[in-house]
Amino acid sequence: MLELIETHLSHGGTQTIYRHDSKAIGLPMRFSVYLPPQAQHGRVPALFYLAGLTSTEETFPIKAGAQRFAAQHGLALVAPDTSPRGAGIAGESDDWDFGVGAGFYVDATREPWARHYRMYSYVRDELRETVSAELPIDASRLGIFGHSMGGHGALVLALRNPDLFRSVSAFAPIAAPTRCPWGKKAFTGYLGDDLEAWRRYDASELVVRAERRFEAGILVDQGLADKFRVEQLHPDVFEQACLKAGQPLTLRRHEGYDHGYFFIETFIEDHIAHHARVLT
């Protein structure tokens, strides 16, 4: 059952935040939903947005300026939190890049994280099914995108579930997490030393293995002034993997743009349009 926390009018639609008791996580979870004005007359396609490290369900709707373009195209926007909250695990708030605010969109298998840190299943199954059942969202027309850690999550969820998510894009994704410090730290903590388990959450590994391609292409935007680009993000590795796999990719490199939401806000219109071409 959804509990409505707040609602606001925006571009003729409604921007809301909900809370519910999550079975996948075993704790209450919050997520935001923008319903465009078209949702007043029937079910609409939806675009899931996965945020990056330290963000919450409020970050994207407040900072990205996406509602204007979602209203124009008749797309709903769904944005979950980035991790469980209140799990009570010792040290879960000690590091900004692991634990609270840093669930990495994986299903943890290592204790003490395995009970609650199941963001992959939460997004793929429970959240998707909940919004489709409780809100005027068309479950057959879903896309997914995200930023940084969330860009990693979006690519992984799409590549592993092309039957559920028909379109995908990302802003500055952690595109080869098995090769970068953020990914190695998260995967060791959540998944242990099983390198094959790591590869199942690495977009650059998955795209080569994928049995189906996104024929409309994957859109990725990357700022060249992004201080994390070389050490953490590895867009070039993903580009080469897509080339090897025959997966159409548009990787746009932007001089002067960094890792933050001013970058996202600048190019959000293009991403909404990219998904709308497939979903509407």
Side-chain angles (χ1 to χ4, degrees):
M1 182 177 180
L2 297 182
E3 177 187 358
L4 180 63
I5 303 300
E6 60 182 74
T7 184
H8 311 275
L9 291 178
S10 177
H11 297 284
T14 56
Q15 179 65 60
T16 57
I17 293 179
Y18 291 99
R19 179 169 55 212
H20 68 137
D21 292 326
S22 167
K23 293 180 180 179
I25 301 295
L27 293 165
M29 290 291 290
R30 289 164 59 107
F31 62 91
S32 68
V33 178
Y34 176 71
L35 290 176
Q38 294 87 339
Q40 299 171 24
H41 308 291
R43 292 186 177 272
V44 295
L47 186 51
F48 284 72
Y49 177 87
L50 306 184
L53 292 164
T54 75
S55 297
T56 72
E57 76 286 345
E58 294 183 302
T59 307
F60 176 73
I62 291 174
K63 292 185 175 183
Q67 293 90 342
R68 177 190 303 274
F69 308 112
Q72 291 173 3
H73 290 285
L75 287 172
L77 302 170
V78 180
D81 201 350
T82 52
S83 77
R85 307 275 170 172
I89 298 172
E92 69 174 339
S93 298
D94 289 354
D95 296 329
W96 70 277
D97 57 355
F98 183 79
V100 172
F104 259 83
Y105 306 102
V106 304
D107 283 349
T109 55
R110 186 179 182 185
E111 297 298 340
W113 310 97
R115 179 180 179 185
H116 297 297
Y117 277 71
R118 297 181 52 79
M119 291 298 295
Y120 177 84
S121 288
Y122 174 70
V123 173
R124 184 193 64 184
D125 300 325
E126 187 173 25
L127 181 61
R128 179 182 58 84
E129 293 169 0
T130 296
V131 298
S132 299
E134 301 291 335
L135 300 170
I137 285 174
D138 183 351
S140 69
R141 293 187 291 163
L142 304 178
I144 192 165
F145 70 151
H147 170 232
S148 194
M149 176 186 73
H152 140 75
L155 292 172
V156 167
L157 277 151
L159 289 166
R160 288 177 59 171
N161 303 280
D163 54 328
L164 300 180
F165 300 104
R166 292 172 53 185
S167 59
V168 59
S169 70
F171 295 95
I174 303 172
T178 59
R179 306 188 187 199
C180 76
W182 281 341
K184 291 177 181 178
K185 179 176 181 177
F187 289 175
T188 300
Y190 295 135
L191 305 173
D193 298 326
D194 183 354
L195 296 183
E196 182 54 35
W198 290 25
R199 294 185 187 102
R200 290 196 291 270
Y201 292 104
D202 186 316
S204 295
E205 297 281 345
L206 290 170
V207 74
V208 175
R209 305 180 184 188
E211 296 181 1
R212 289 169 53 186
R213 290 190 286 270
F214 288 85
E215 297 298 343
I218 297 172
L219 173 63
V220 173
D221 278 310
Q222 175 64 61
L224 293 181
D226 187 330
K227 65 181 179 181
F228 302 117
R229 176 173 59 91
V230 175
E231 183 180 23
Q232 302 283 14
L233 306 180
H234 296 296
D236 298 345
V237 174
F238 185 64
E239 183 178 43
Q240 290 302 310
C242 286
L243 183 64
K244 179 179 179 180
Q247 168 58 58
L249 170 70
T250 300
L251 172 56
R252 306 192 303 185
R253 297 169 172 87
H254 303 281
E255 289 286 352
Y257 284 92
D258 59 23
H259 196 67
Y261 269 83
F262 294 112
F263 159 63
I264 294 172
E265 183 184 23
T266 302
F267 300 106
I268 189 68
E269 181 179 8
D270 295 344
H271 283 250
I272 299 293
H274 166 79
H275 291 273
R277 282 191 289 272
V278 177
L279 302 178
T280 63

